[in-house]
Amino acid sequence: MKKHIIILFVVLVSVESFSQNLNKFFTQADAFFKANVNNGKVAYSRIHTNKNELHSVLKLAEGITVLKSDTQNYQAFWINAYNLSVIKGIIDNYPTKSPLDVNGFFDKTTYSLAGKNITLNDIEHKLLRGNFKDARFHFVLVCGAIGCPPLISQAYLPNTLNTQLDTQTKLALNGSFLKVNTKKKRVQASQIMEWYKDDFTMDGSSEIDFINKYRTEQLDSKYKLSYFPYNWNVNKQ
């Protein structure tokens, strides 16, 4: 009996510690984004001058334990971890005009997060897209370039994540992510929709169907879809 009580106590302490660390990560990430992001642009120069806040939140992220089965916490953690790591990648190579100017920026450089040494591509394609069929990830994972959907000046949080995913998707599809010519019945979309077409056409739906799910002004079936070039210039303030 005594042994069982001790085991239960250890489990409860571990769960409480996990909860505290994860909540602390979300709080620090939120403060960092609020201080350094404005209108989707990042204050890389200021962060480069004083890296303490960035290093602090990423250090905290190293020791986080988060399970795929805990969907909201898992997704929120890895979205924030991705966006913070992109900023670190640019800061580590500052100044740079584009993340593509850094060899292996997405597929070779690794970050120590949640007990893993992991690349940005691994976070996006294996941990998020690979585990959850949700095209909205493309509107919240920000690759450090102007062509990406804008980075928000707050953290993604588990209790508001679904609303945040919807909000960012709606903003993109009612904004700069699309160029609509109503007279010619043509719509140009970001190349993200070309690169990840399968994500936007799941369950037999079309890209136009996906767009209309989130767009205020609907596009009818006569619209022809093409794509405009991606802007890889860094999203600096």
mmCIF file of all heavy atoms in Angstrom, residues 51-72:
data_model
loop_
_atom_site.group_PDB
_atom_site.id
_atom_site.type_symbol
_atom_site.label_atom_id
_atom_site.label_comp_id
_atom_site.label_asym_id
_atom_site.label_seq_id
_atom_site.Cartn_x
_atom_site.Cartn_y
_atom_site.Cartn_z
ATOM 1 N N LYS A 51 19.798 38.863 -26.917
ATOM 2 C CA LYS A 51 19.224 37.551 -27.208
ATOM 3 C C LYS A 51 18.699 36.832 -25.973
ATOM 4 O O LYS A 51 18.213 35.694 -26.065
ATOM 5 C CB LYS A 51 20.289 36.658 -27.875
ATOM 6 C CG LYS A 51 20.963 37.261 -29.105
ATOM 7 C CD LYS A 51 21.989 36.282 -29.666
ATOM 8 C CE LYS A 51 22.760 36.863 -30.830
ATOM 9 N NZ LYS A 51 23.724 37.909 -30.410
ATOM 10 N N ASN A 52 18.760 37.460 -24.802
ATOM 11 C CA ASN A 52 18.454 36.763 -23.550
ATOM 12 C C ASN A 52 17.044 36.180 -23.517
ATOM 13 O O ASN A 52 16.839 35.037 -23.093
ATOM 14 C CB ASN A 52 18.644 37.703 -22.353
ATOM 15 C CG ASN A 52 20.112 38.047 -22.123
ATOM 16 O OD1 ASN A 52 20.995 37.337 -22.593
ATOM 17 N ND2 ASN A 52 20.374 39.139 -21.414
ATOM 18 N N GLU A 53 16.053 36.967 -23.951
ATOM 19 C CA GLU A 53 14.663 36.493 -23.889
ATOM 20 C C GLU A 53 14.449 35.296 -24.816
ATOM 21 O O GLU A 53 13.779 34.331 -24.440
ATOM 22 C CB GLU A 53 13.704 37.627 -24.261
ATOM 23 C CG GLU A 53 13.586 38.709 -23.204
ATOM 24 C CD GLU A 53 12.581 39.767 -23.607
ATOM 25 O OE1 GLU A 53 12.064 39.711 -24.751
ATOM 26 O OE2 GLU A 53 12.313 40.662 -22.787
ATOM 27 N N LEU A 54 15.017 35.375 -26.016
ATOM 28 C CA LEU A 54 14.882 34.279 -26.968
ATOM 29 C C LEU A 54 15.556 33.025 -26.439
ATOM 30 O O LEU A 54 14.981 31.921 -26.480
ATOM 31 C CB LEU A 54 15.479 34.673 -28.321
ATOM 32 C CG LEU A 54 15.434 33.602 -29.419
ATOM 33 C CD1 LEU A 54 13.994 33.200 -29.729
ATOM 34 C CD2 LEU A 54 16.128 34.095 -30.678
ATOM 35 N N HIS A 55 16.768 33.164 -25.927
ATOM 36 C CA HIS A 55 17.489 32.012 -25.398
ATOM 37 C C HIS A 55 16.763 31.414 -24.199
ATOM 38 O O HIS A 55 16.725 30.191 -24.021
ATOM 39 C CB HIS A 55 18.907 32.416 -24.994
ATOM 40 C CG HIS A 55 19.797 32.641 -26.171
ATOM 41 N ND1 HIS A 55 21.055 33.202 -26.057
ATOM 42 C CD2 HIS A 55 19.625 32.406 -27.495
ATOM 43 C CE1 HIS A 55 21.608 33.286 -27.263
ATOM 44 N NE2 HIS A 55 20.755 32.816 -28.146
ATOM 45 N N SER A 56 16.155 32.269 -23.377
ATOM 46 C CA SER A 56 15.461 31.813 -22.180
ATOM 47 C C SER A 56 14.250 30.945 -22.520
ATOM 48 O O SER A 56 14.065 29.856 -21.949
ATOM 49 C CB SER A 56 15.016 33.012 -21.335
ATOM 50 O OG SER A 56 14.262 32.586 -20.216
ATOM 51 N N VAL A 57 13.434 31.392 -23.467
ATOM 52 C CA VAL A 57 12.228 30.631 -23.809
ATOM 53 C C VAL A 57 12.580 29.350 -24.551
ATOM 54 O O VAL A 57 11.942 28.299 -24.350
ATOM 55 C CB VAL A 57 11.232 31.510 -24.605
ATOM 56 C CG1 VAL A 57 11.755 31.849 -25.982
ATOM 57 C CG2 VAL A 57 9.867 30.820 -24.705
ATOM 58 N N LEU A 58 13.635 29.378 -25.369
ATOM 59 C CA LEU A 58 14.046 28.165 -26.067
ATOM 60 C C LEU A 58 14.726 27.180 -25.107
ATOM 61 O O LEU A 58 14.606 25.961 -25.286
ATOM 62 C CB LEU A 58 14.979 28.506 -27.226
ATOM 63 C CG LEU A 58 14.277 29.111 -28.452
ATOM 64 C CD1 LEU A 58 15.290 29.587 -29.484
ATOM 65 C CD2 LEU A 58 13.324 28.098 -29.088
ATOM 66 N N LYS A 59 15.414 27.691 -24.099
ATOM 67 C CA LYS A 59 15.999 26.819 -23.077
ATOM 68 C C LYS A 59 14.897 26.092 -22.322
ATOM 69 O O LYS A 59 15.006 24.893 -22.033
ATOM 70 C CB LYS A 59 16.860 27.640 -22.109
ATOM 71 C CG LYS A 59 17.575 26.806 -21.061
ATOM 72 C CD LYS A 59 18.619 25.892 -21.684
ATOM 73 C CE LYS A 59 19.371 25.098 -20.638
ATOM 74 N NZ LYS A 59 20.341 24.139 -21.241
ATOM 75 N N LEU A 60 13.833 26.804 -22.020
ATOM 76 C CA LEU A 60 12.695 26.195 -21.353
ATOM 77 C C LEU A 60 12.070 25.115 -22.232
ATOM 78 O O LEU A 60 11.671 24.051 -21.754
ATOM 79 C CB LEU A 60 11.663 27.275 -21.023
ATOM 80 C CG LEU A 60 10.454 26.874 -20.179
ATOM 81 C CD1 LEU A 60 10.899 26.351 -18.814
ATOM 82 C CD2 LEU A 60 9.526 28.069 -20.001
ATOM 83 N N ALA A 61 12.016 25.382 -23.536
ATOM 84 C CA ALA A 61 11.422 24.425 -24.484
ATOM 85 C C ALA A 61 12.215 23.124 -24.577
ATOM 86 O O ALA A 61 11.650 22.088 -24.939
ATOM 87 C CB ALA A 61 11.312 25.063 -25.867
ATOM 88 N N GLU A 62 13.498 23.165 -24.253
ATOM 89 C CA GLU A 62 14.323 21.949 -24.310
ATOM 90 C C GLU A 62 13.768 20.854 -23.399
ATOM 91 O O GLU A 62 13.751 19.679 -23.754
ATOM 92 C CB GLU A 62 15.764 22.263 -23.870
ATOM 93 C CG GLU A 62 16.590 23.003 -24.886
ATOM 94 C CD GLU A 62 18.035 23.139 -24.421
ATOM 95 O OE1 GLU A 62 18.472 22.308 -23.585
ATOM 96 O OE2 GLU A 62 18.723 24.063 -24.873
ATOM 97 N N GLY A 63 13.322 21.259 -22.212
ATOM 98 C CA GLY A 63 12.924 20.274 -21.208
ATOM 99 C C GLY A 63 11.445 19.958 -21.171
ATOM 100 O O GLY A 63 10.989 19.218 -20.291
ATOM 101 N N ILE A 64 10.686 20.498 -22.105
ATOM 102 C CA ILE A 64 9.243 20.245 -22.139
ATOM 103 C C ILE A 64 8.975 18.806 -22.567
ATOM 104 O O ILE A 64 9.631 18.269 -23.449
ATOM 105 C CB ILE A 64 8.540 21.215 -23.119
ATOM 106 C CG1 ILE A 64 8.670 22.666 -22.628
ATOM 107 C CG2 ILE A 64 7.084 20.838 -23.322
ATOM 108 C CD1 ILE A 64 7.945 22.961 -21.344
ATOM 109 N N THR A 65 7.981 18.193 -21.933
ATOM 110 C CA THR A 65 7.467 16.904 -22.378
ATOM 111 C C THR A 65 6.025 17.109 -22.811
ATOM 112 O O THR A 65 5.207 17.586 -22.020
ATOM 113 C CB THR A 65 7.518 15.858 -21.253
ATOM 114 O OG1 THR A 65 8.872 15.681 -20.834
ATOM 115 C CG2 THR A 65 6.950 14.529 -21.727
ATOM 116 N N VAL A 66 5.730 16.783 -24.053
ATOM 117 C CA VAL A 66 4.367 16.963 -24.545
ATOM 118 C C VAL A 66 4.006 15.781 -25.432
ATOM 119 O O VAL A 66 4.798 15.338 -26.260
ATOM 120 C CB VAL A 66 4.226 18.309 -25.301
ATOM 121 C CG1 VAL A 66 5.120 18.369 -26.515
ATOM 122 C CG2 VAL A 66 2.783 18.599 -25.655
ATOM 123 N N LEU A 67 2.819 15.230 -25.214
ATOM 124 C CA LEU A 67 2.397 14.007 -25.890
ATOM 125 C C LEU A 67 1.447 14.305 -27.047
ATOM 126 O O LEU A 67 0.586 15.182 -26.942
ATOM 127 C CB LEU A 67 1.701 13.071 -24.898
ATOM 128 C CG LEU A 67 2.526 12.652 -23.671
ATOM 129 C CD1 LEU A 67 1.677 11.808 -22.736
ATOM 130 C CD2 LEU A 67 3.774 11.895 -24.096
ATOM 131 N N LYS A 68 1.582 13.544 -28.112
ATOM 132 C CA LYS A 68 0.716 13.707 -29.280
ATOM 133 C C LYS A 68 -0.754 13.522 -28.901
ATOM 134 O O LYS A 68 -1.635 14.159 -29.488
ATOM 135 C CB LYS A 68 1.125 12.721 -30.368
ATOM 136 C CG LYS A 68 0.350 12.849 -31.664
ATOM 137 C CD LYS A 68 0.885 11.911 -32.732
ATOM 138 C CE LYS A 68 0.701 10.462 -32.364
ATOM 139 N NZ LYS A 68 1.102 9.548 -33.458
ATOM 140 N N SER A 69 -1.018 12.646 -27.941
ATOM 141 C CA SER A 69 -2.396 12.390 -27.522
ATOM 142 C C SER A 69 -3.021 13.602 -26.830
ATOM 143 O O SER A 69 -4.243 13.738 -26.788
ATOM 144 C CB SER A 69 -2.447 11.181 -26.583
ATOM 145 O OG SER A 69 -1.609 11.378 -25.459
ATOM 146 N N ASP A 70 -2.188 14.476 -26.303
ATOM 147 C CA ASP A 70 -2.654 15.729 -25.687
ATOM 148 C C ASP A 70 -2.663 16.791 -26.786
ATOM 149 O O ASP A 70 -1.829 17.694 -26.810
ATOM 150 C CB ASP A 70 -1.718 16.106 -24.542
ATOM 151 C CG ASP A 70 -2.197 17.297 -23.740
ATOM 152 O OD1 ASP A 70 -3.317 17.783 -23.996
ATOM 153 O OD2 ASP A 70 -1.435 17.761 -22.870
ATOM 154 N N THR A 71 -3.629 16.664 -27.691
ATOM 155 C CA THR A 71 -3.580 17.336 -28.988
ATOM 156 C C THR A 71 -3.373 18.838 -28.907
ATOM 157 O O THR A 71 -2.506 19.388 -29.597
ATOM 158 C CB THR A 71 -4.877 17.038 -29.781
ATOM 159 O OG1 THR A 71 -5.033 15.627 -29.889
ATOM 160 C CG2 THR A 71 -4.797 17.643 -31.173
ATOM 161 N N GLN A 72 -4.164 19.527 -28.098
ATOM 162 C CA GLN A 72 -4.107 20.992 -28.074
ATOM 163 C C GLN A 72 -2.763 21.501 -27.555
ATOM 164 O O GLN A 72 -2.167 22.418 -28.127
ATOM 165 C CB GLN A 72 -5.254 21.564 -27.243
ATOM 166 C CG GLN A 72 -6.648 21.207 -27.764
ATOM 167 C CD GLN A 72 -6.850 21.656 -29.206
ATOM 168 O OE1 GLN A 72 -6.780 20.833 -30.132
ATOM 169 N NE2 GLN A 72 -7.086 22.926 -29.409
#
